Amino acid sequence: MIRREGASIGDARARMPWHRGFTLLELLVVMVVIGMLAGLVAPRYFAQVGKSQVKVARAQIDSLDKALDQFRLDVGRYPTSDEGLQALVVQPTGELKWGGPYLKKNVPPDPWGRPYAYLQPGSHGGDFDLLSYGKDGRPGGTGEDADLTNW
């Protein structure tokens, strides 16, 4: 190796590609910034997921409500509480006017995996009560835990 005056070995190493890279401090700074961004974005994202589950439950209740109305038009009455929502997909015993199934698939659970509650006659001024107890699965609550109903 020929050495020029004023050039040092450190200068040669800086120009060699296999000695370039990030320092540990630079990597740590980048990881902290990514962590801070994730801390800001994640709560907003998960809040949207909860809101979408509530919207899905409302849409399913509306769909079941319409299917129950179609059942009533065909049969002349709403399914009893004992027959439940299954009467929308399976013909009740001895019901000759049944024109179902009234749903394309089986009765869906609510977005949190629990069955919808169905009571006939309804106790809130309607012909029937149809509800989901929300994320917590218990009566009452607020936000995502609030009951979702057809009344």
Side-chain angles (χ1 to χ4, degrees), residues 21-106:
F22 297 106
T23 65
L24 181 59
L25 182 60
E26 290 170 328
L27 291 173
L28 287 173
V29 168
V30 168
M31 294 200 48
V32 166
V33 169
I34 290 172
M36 289 172 59
L37 288 173
L40 292 172
V41 172
R44 291 181 183 169
Y45 171 75
F46 289 115
Q48 293 302 319
V49 170
K51 288 178 186 176
S52 68
Q53 288 176 319
V54 169
K55 288 179 182 178
V56 166
R58 288 184 199 274
Q60 286 179 333
I61 287 173
D62 185 55
S63 176
L64 291 170
D65 192 284
K66 286 177 174 51
L68 287 162
D69 286 340
Q70 186 62 45
F71 179 97
R72 185 187 60 80
L73 289 173
D74 287 351
V75 177
R77 64 173 179 82
Y78 286 104
T80 64
S81 293
D82 290 338
E83 291 170 338
L85 297 174
Q86 250 342 86
L88 298 174
V89 291
V90 176
Q91 183 173 2
T93 305
E95 192 53 66
L96 302 176
K97 296 179 185 176
W98 189 82
Y102 299 96
L103 298 173
K104 292 180 182 177
K105 299 179 182 177
N106 284 332

Side-chain angles (χ1 to χ4, degrees), residues 13-26:
R13 282 189 185 154
R15 282 183 261 135
M16 298 175 131
W18 57 84
H19 286 287
R20 293 182 187 163
F22 297 106
T23 65
L24 181 59
L25 182 60
E26 290 170 328

